[in-house]
Amino acid sequence: QIAFLRQRERGRYGLLVTRAEPGGTARMICEVALRGLIDWTPDGREILLGDREEATEPFAVVAVALENGRKRRLTSPPAGTYG
């Protein structure tokens, strides 16, 4: 599979996944406020990336489940930092 981001609105991106073959249809997993790169977990079930819910919050590393788009926060940067 191939994971990629598509800009949606100011500061928000859609996280999409598609099969690595011609004619594959992209499926949106969730919406994120991206910071940095994205990467797969070793088991291929989640994608790791930087995200935040509000523009005033610091970015945290989250794991996004491909199955349902559920986000699991992995870090908790202190308030007032960029993340």
Side-chain angles (χ1 to χ4, degrees):
Q1 293 189 62
I2 298 171
F4 63 97
L5 297 159
R6 180 175 290 156
Q7 189 168 3
R8 296 176 53 80
E9 57 185 63
R10 192 175 139 210
R12 301 300 292 177
Y13 297 83
L15 173 61
L16 295 98
V17 175
T18 187
R19 292 180 179 214
E21 58 189 43
T25 302
R27 176 174 64 97
M28 186 158 135
I29 304 301
C30 68
E31 189 175 277
V32 297
L34 177 71
R35 176 65 186 155
L37 303 173
I38 64 174
D39 201 357
W40 294 88
T41 56
D43 64 9
R45 294 181 183 178
E46 296 175 301
I47 294 177
L48 304 173
L49 51 81
D51 189 24
R52 63 182 176 188
E53 293 299 319
E54 302 293 329
T56 57
E57 292 179 357
F59 283 94
V61 176
V62 297
V64 180
L66 294 180
E67 181 180 322
N68 56 21
R70 190 167 296 146
K71 297 177 187 177
R72 182 170 51 96
R73 192 179 183 120
L74 302 177
T75 63
S76 296
T81 66
Y82 197 66

